[in-house]
Amino acid sequence: MGRVREAIESVIEGKRASIDLALAVLLAEGHLLVEDVPGVGKTMLAKALGRSIDCSVRRIQFTPDLLPSDITGVSVFNQETRDFEFKPGGIFANIVVGDEINRASPKTQSALLESMEERQVSVDGTTYTLAPPFMVVATQNPIEMEGTYPLPEAQRDRFMARIEMGYPTPHAELEILDSHGSSDPLLALRPVTDGETIRGLIEAVKTVYVAPAVKQYLVSVVNATRNTRDLRLGASPRATLQLLRISRAAAALAGRNFVTPDDVAGLAVVVLAHRVLPSTDAQLARRAVGDIISHAVHSVHIPDRH
């Protein structure tokens, strides 16, 4: 995974935290939502992740006229065999890059629900299993809202984490001018690992130890989002499970075979913030959802080391 990180960093300058989070989501068998303003490298991060691994990668440009069958696939009648033949859609890949996902209609967005949760696609009464590793990296622009459809809560809940790229530092932006000014470094990026190795790493991450006290701490953190007056919708049980999985992956990336409360607390905002809804009072007070989640985390007692 260190080699994958280095490969991505050859394309994305100064975004170590975002890259590490994307790798943790991959190892935790989750999906990533990258939400930020245009031009900060959202799609570039998704492409670089796909190219650094020798596996199938497909990009779907979400537009208002995109149909569900464009994603899942369609059965076409074959004149030679006199039978229907299934043509797989864009979702049949190990890493699926969904660009500007909120530009597609809710009907098209719903075509992703089954594949993201159950890792399978049902078309014309037949179920097709998606080969692991399978990860959806979707991007969306929260500023330009014309011609967009907000993601429903059910779909946002299927994304393990949501990150914001943010603007680069002046030093990193200067390096971008040198590396991207005359050529595209993405074209020179070569795979540093393969899908089989990633599958083995995913299984290894599942063996990372989580102490009972840390599990209790994790459940208490999620429950704190359900009991605060600043949120009218708290995190779901799916969020609890995904917070556990990504905490294991983060611990493994840090070189540990056990999860600490710091792993849980450090990932709580990126895992929970996009799943909850602020109350009317919190909206009127202009309280950021991330700040509400952080306050809820700090209100939970950290278990003793022993």
Side-chain angles (χ1 to χ4, degrees), residues 153 156 225-226 231-235 275-278:
E153 283 76 13
R156 290 207 310 268
T225 67
R226 302 167 185 165
L231 299 175
R232 58 188 174 93
L233 176 66
R275 307 169 187 269
V276 301
L277 294 176

Side-chain angles (χ1 to χ4, degrees), residues 21 25 31-36 98 101-102 135-140 151 155-156 159-164 270 274:
L21 190 60
V25 171
H31 308 289
L32 183 65
L33 179 63
V34 188
E35 184 178 282
D36 215 323
I101 189 173
N102 57 335
M135 178 183 182
V136 174
V137 184
T139 70
Q140 72 169 353
L151 294 182
Q155 181 148 2
R156 290 207 310 268
F159 284 102
M160 177 171 282
R162 182 189 67 179
I163 64 172
E164 298 176 358
V270 296
H274 63 287

Side-chain angles (χ1 to χ4, degrees), residues 208-223 239-241 243-251 256-268 297 300-306:
V208 173
Y209 177 70
V210 184
V214 176
K215 289 182 180 179
Q216 181 60 54
Y217 174 72
L218 190 150
V219 171
S220 299
V221 166
V222 176
N223 266 284
T240 310
L241 185 59
L243 182 56
L244 172 67
R245 289 174 177 170
I246 196 173
S247 296
R248 277 183 164 141
R256 286 183 279 106
N257 61 351
F258 60 92
V259 175
T260 67
D262 288 338
D263 294 325
V264 177
L267 293 164
V297 171
V300 177
H301 173 69
I302 299 175
D304 296 330
R305 183 176 293 272
H306 67 275

Side-chain angles (χ1 to χ4, degrees), residues 169-207:
T169 63
H171 176 71
E173 197 160 8
L174 189 61
E175 291 184 348
I176 290 173
L177 295 180
D178 293 333
S179 60
H180 294 254
S182 57
S183 62
D184 185 0
L186 196 62
L187 299 177
L189 187 61
R190 294 292 179 264
V192 295
T193 186
D194 54 21
E196 184 65 32
T197 302
I198 296 298
R199 284 192 287 271
L201 294 175
I202 289 173
E203 292 302 316
V205 163
K206 294 178 182 178
T207 65

